[in-house]
Amino acid sequence: MKKISLFFSIVIFIGCLSCSDQTALDHALHLSGNNRTELEKVLEYYSKDEKDSLKLKAAIFLIENMPFHHYLELSEKELLYQKELYPLTTEGALGPSQAMDSLEKKYGRMNNPMTDYKNDLETITAEYLIANIEYAFRAWERAPWKKYISFRQFCEEILPYRVSSEPLDAWRETYYNYFSPILDSLLMDDDPVSAANIIYDVLLQKRWILNRKAEEMPLSGANYLLNGRFGTCMDACNLVACALRSVAIPSGVDLFLKNPSRGNNTHSWNYMKDTTGRSLELSLLSDFLRPSLASKGDTTRKKGIIYRLYYDARKESLPVSHPGKEIPASLKNPFILDVTNVYFPGTQLKIPVDEKSRKDDLLYLGVFHANVWEPVAWAEIDHGEALFRGMEPGVIFCPLYYKNGKIIPASAPFILQENNELRYFVADTDHPLDSMVVRRKYLLLPVLEELRRRSLNGRFEGANRPDFKDAVTLYTIREYPELIYQDICIDPPSMFRYMRYYPDQTSRSRCNMAEIEFFGDRQEELSGEIIGVEGSFKDLKDRTKQKAFDKDPLTFFEANGNTEGWIGLDFGRAQPVSRIRYLYRNDDNNIREGDRYELFYYAKDRWVSLGSQTGDKGQRLVYYHVPDRALYWLRNYTRGREESVFTYENGIQVFW
């Protein structure tokens, strides 16, 4: 099957699905090539007995939707990586990236081109498919909630042998035999939500090691994931979906294609269905996002446009009525369906389009990602407007056209407000701001907001006894610190041999200091032996006390335990201390002194520069005569990749 014609083959295939079942089935069998006999064995197996008629329909469902499902097999080197990654992070106390780096030194860099796909149609066996069907039906028949699950829902959210594009793996029997006895002993009612909570707790007994660097590897098979909890968010989703489906809990994966506010790419999480058909969120990566609490949803990140991943191709997921039109690569997927309205009901919206300037009959919505507008949704234009059936409030979208492989803005960016009205960002150049003070280039994530709170009442102490029984408090943190270097003047200078930072013992701080510097009466930096509590959080070697003195603002000391996480220096003899400079745990996205920046505002269909500046000693930038009510974007040309668009309201940057 040639990759170059994949999209057009998908369009033809989806067209077949609207015909008779036999036509779609014949199309799939034709594409299977030399593996056709294996698929026909399955059909023959379930055609012998009338009582297997439903299983025959299930087999047909799997086969006719099998085209274009593919996977990458792990190479010998990748299997070695996979075998050792989880022990290195749990027993070897390495961080995920450190574990990957150590294996790279040991075995060499992985060079999988990620293009040598194996197609399910050409490789799947009759034995594999029959076993999958048998165990899926066995679980469904035994499920106390079976009466709430239609055959269609069973096919879509329980039956599939794969969740995404992981390798083919005979997981169904293993998972069924593992989780079914657990439910038999612990489940006290007939509620699938109760069952899902039990399975969720079992899965949490082993910590999931999230590592985005694992995206360099193909997805792992389900049998590995049951014990080796290392990988991307999609690996984690595959594990959860297989566990739930193995005991007939309708479930799957939801995702967004591009993060609408953060610099990373796609993100996925799980959903399950209760007896009313309501979707509930859950995720191994967020221990608060469990089925019993799922009605609250994940409020820690914006999603924008949300898709549900299906095994069966969805005619409505592609603009197939326009087969001659160019489609952005990210939307050429017939197995995802826009379900934003499930998460944000009542946000159906018509976007007006200027008929005179319109150059296409499809309108896209884009989010700002990696410095460009990335299309994440589409709609047909009808009578000068495009209907989008759901979007998340509080996310900035830009209407787009897609022509000759290029993104063309159709109008000003906008945001859907809570009152279901649109707020467009149109720069007011006639009434510019007198000045704009810029302190960051990226939104502050909730985890850092929480950590800042824990810094309150932390104090810097000086002493001349190693047990600090004669400690003098020189400074106490009374306000949330900005995540920039903070200077504390000690006037007059005081003589101490020992200096330390001692966090508030009721805040669960674990210290979380990125950098600490002490200066003498001539403003020279003082050096000494690093002192403080031993160990680090989960014994991670990249979070030891040495990290608070390594001149790297992105590394930090995190103590092992919630109390007594102090850190400091022994100068060897009493020294005059005149200044303390510290940096709390941060993301290095505030303005750095000496870095080169450029500020832009959005005007009509492009970004317009407001000039370049270098970060000053105050770790800020000041721009004058900036157009008001615009959308802004700050670039750092010296370091880093994380950048978010923002507005400027009441003298404060507001990141979206």
Side-chain angles (χ1 to χ4, degrees), residues 189-226:
D189 56 33
D190 61 354
D191 188 350
V193 178
S194 300
N197 275 288
I198 292 171
I199 290 175
Y200 186 90
D201 286 335
V202 170
L203 292 176
L204 280 183
Q205 289 174 6
K206 289 188 176 181
R207 183 167 63 100
W208 182 268
I209 307 296
L210 176 65
N211 182 24
R212 292 188 175 88
K213 198 171 181 180
E215 291 174 359
E216 299 173 9
M217 297 173 60
L219 292 171
S220 296
N223 284 331
Y224 165 78
L225 294 174
L226 192 56

Side-chain angles (χ1 to χ4, degrees), residues 465-510:
R465 289 181 50 166
D467 58 9
F468 280 82
K469 288 188 175 180
D470 62 341
V472 176
T473 298
L474 301 175
Y475 179 79
T476 301
I477 300 174
R478 298 298 187 190
E479 297 179 350
Y480 300 153
E482 280 192 77
L483 301 182
I484 58 176
Y485 282 95
Q486 305 288 329
D487 266 301
I488 304 165
C489 180
I490 310 299
D491 189 21
S494 300
M495 298 290 291
F496 298 109
R497 173 174 173 173
Y498 306 97
M499 289 290 300
R500 73 175 180 180
Y501 170 71
Y502 193 78
D504 178 25
Q505 298 304 295
T506 64
S507 69
R508 299 184 297 115
S509 168
R510 295 198 184 105

Side-chain angles (χ1 to χ4, degrees), residues 156-325:
E156 292 176 347
E157 297 174 319
I158 295 173
L159 173 67
Y161 56 86
R162 66 160 61 257
V163 180
S164 55
S165 58
E166 70 277 15
L168 289 180
D169 203 351
W171 60 271
R172 180 78 70 172
E173 180 180 0
T174 302
Y175 275 60
Y176 177 83
N177 290 335
Y178 186 85
F179 289 105
S180 184
I182 293 173
L183 292 187
D184 288 344
S185 63
L186 297 179
L187 186 62
M188 306 301 292
D189 56 33
D190 61 354
D191 188 350
V193 178
S194 300
N197 275 288
I198 292 171
I199 290 175
Y200 186 90
D201 286 335
V202 170
L203 292 176
L204 280 183
Q205 289 174 6
K206 289 188 176 181
R207 183 167 63 100
W208 182 268
I209 307 296
L210 176 65
N211 182 24
R212 292 188 175 88
K213 198 171 181 180
E215 291 174 359
E216 299 173 9
M217 297 173 60
L219 292 171
S220 296
N223 284 331
Y224 165 78
L225 294 174
L226 192 56
N227 293 300
R229 310 293 175 78
F230 186 101
T232 64
C233 56
M234 184 57 79
D235 283 307
C237 287
N238 289 344
L239 169 64
V240 173
C242 287
L244 297 180
R245 289 178 176 182
S246 72
V247 292
I249 299 175
S251 56
V253 176
D254 286 346
L255 54 90
F256 52 71
L257 299 176
K258 297 292 180 182
N259 198 311
S261 59
R262 305 185 190 180
N264 55 326
N265 286 307
T266 184
H267 177 65
S268 55
W269 59 96
N270 291 99
Y271 75 89
M272 64 156 293
K273 296 282 186 67
D274 66 10
T275 55
T276 68
R278 181 181 58 152
S279 295
L280 303 176
E281 290 179 70
L282 62 152
S283 173
L284 279 186
L285 309 184
S286 306
D287 55 9
F288 64 87
L289 198 57
R290 56 184 302 117
S292 60
L293 302 176
S295 58
K296 298 179 180 179
D298 181 2
T299 59
T300 64
R301 69 176 80 230
K302 294 179 180 178
K303 301 178 179 72
I305 302 295
I306 303 166
Y307 288 91
R308 182 153 293 173
L309 185 61
Y310 285 94
Y311 172 80
D312 54 316
R314 298 293 167 135
K315 181 179 179 180
E316 63 269 43
S317 68
L318 284 173
V320 292
S321 59
H322 305 274
K325 298 297 181 184

Side-chain angles (χ1 to χ4, degrees), residues 19 27 32 44 50 58 77 111 179 193 204 224 234 259 326 376 402 419 425 435 492 501 582 621:
C19 306
H27 184 73
S32 64
E44 182 182 357
E50 181 66 26
K77 184 185 296 185
N111 55 2
F179 289 105
V193 178
L204 280 183
Y224 165 78
M234 184 57 79
N259 198 311
E326 290 184 282
V376 294
Y402 187 72
N419 59 6
F425 297 99
S435 64
Y501 170 71
Y582 78 90
L621 307 170

